Amino acid sequence: MLIYAIGLTAQIFFGARTLIQWVMSERARKSLSPSIFWILSMVASWLFFIYGWMREDFAIILGQLISYYIYIWNLDAKGVWRKIPIELRIILVGTPVAAIVLASGDAATFVATFLKNSRVPLWLLVFGSLGQMIFTLRFVYQLIYSYRRKESLLPIGFWIISVTGSAAIIVYGIIRRDPVLLVGQIPGMVTYIRNIILHKNNYGKVKQNDIQI
């Protein structure tokens, strides 16, 4: 029960970030990238990494390991990261690294636990990891896009990749009978699609204004 409690708590934070971003974007009539989105993302990812570790799910661990540090970059870009106490920053940065270092100390056990898990067939592990990689790729794309523009943004490509990756994770969650994954991904799909619509509507307005000018 503790495992699912941690996982569901993480999904609550993930869901909250999405809901808040959606509400703020609806009010602004355009897709926004608020600081609270990245704060909740970091907390949720930290918890979800722990959940993936306890559930011995390599696909979850892989996805969180990459996106986690991108959340931190966005917090730094918004000037929030440096306001966090240094002790807490060390813990937040070091936790995933420490976990991987400890695991790599016994490579055979790591492989047996995470890569040769009898509860997760190889084909399903590959499929789940691919879904997580696609889902995580959205943050790599977002990082590159934002870095080039020197500000934290959530472009339309981010949401398109979100829909693709989320669909794969939902299928993976159904096959694995993982309620935590399903609770997190199904509601999020609505927000991803809505942000795509907001982007297109906003682009249409900008284009129309340019024509009028």
Side-chain angles (χ1 to χ4, degrees), residues 20-95:
I20 292 172
Q21 187 275 337
W22 183 8
V23 171
M24 293 179 70
S25 295
E26 289 288 358
R27 289 177 177 174
R29 305 308 299 170
K30 63 179 181 179
S31 186
L32 300 177
S33 171
S35 296
I36 188 65
F37 177 88
W38 301 108
I39 293 172
L40 293 174
S41 294
M42 181 183 63
V43 175
S45 184
W46 190 87
L47 289 171
F48 209 47
F49 182 88
I50 301 300
Y51 169 75
W53 193 272
M54 294 177 70
R55 192 161 162 77
E56 299 177 353
D57 194 317
F58 179 75
I60 292 176
I61 293 173
L62 179 64
Q64 295 309 309
L65 188 62
I66 299 172
S67 58
Y68 181 75
Y69 291 102
I70 295 178
Y71 300 151
I72 292 177
W73 181 90
N74 277 279
L75 285 174
D76 188 54
K78 287 184 170 293
V80 176
W81 179 248
R82 281 158 285 182
K83 296 179 182 178
I84 299 174
I86 183 65
E87 297 82 4
L88 182 55
R89 275 186 279 167
I90 292 173
I91 293 173
L92 291 172
V93 170
T95 302

Side-chain angles (χ1 to χ4, degrees), residues 89-158:
R89 275 186 279 167
I90 292 173
I91 293 173
L92 291 172
V93 170
T95 302
V97 175
I100 296 300
V101 170
L102 288 173
S104 62
D106 189 351
T109 301
F110 180 84
V111 171
T113 301
F114 294 99
L115 303 182
K116 292 184 178 179
N117 191 335
S118 60
R119 291 174 293 178
V120 186
L122 180 59
W123 70 268
L124 184 57
L125 176 63
V126 172
F127 178 79
S129 297
L130 181 61
Q132 287 288 356
M133 286 299 293
I134 294 173
F135 201 60
T136 301
L137 181 63
R138 64 186 184 148
F139 284 109
V140 176
Y141 172 81
Q142 184 272 337
L143 174 64
I144 296 172
Y145 186 95
S146 298
Y147 183 79
R148 288 176 176 174
R149 288 159 180 78
K150 306 301 181 184
E151 63 176 319
S152 178
L153 301 168
L154 291 173
I156 189 171
F158 172 87

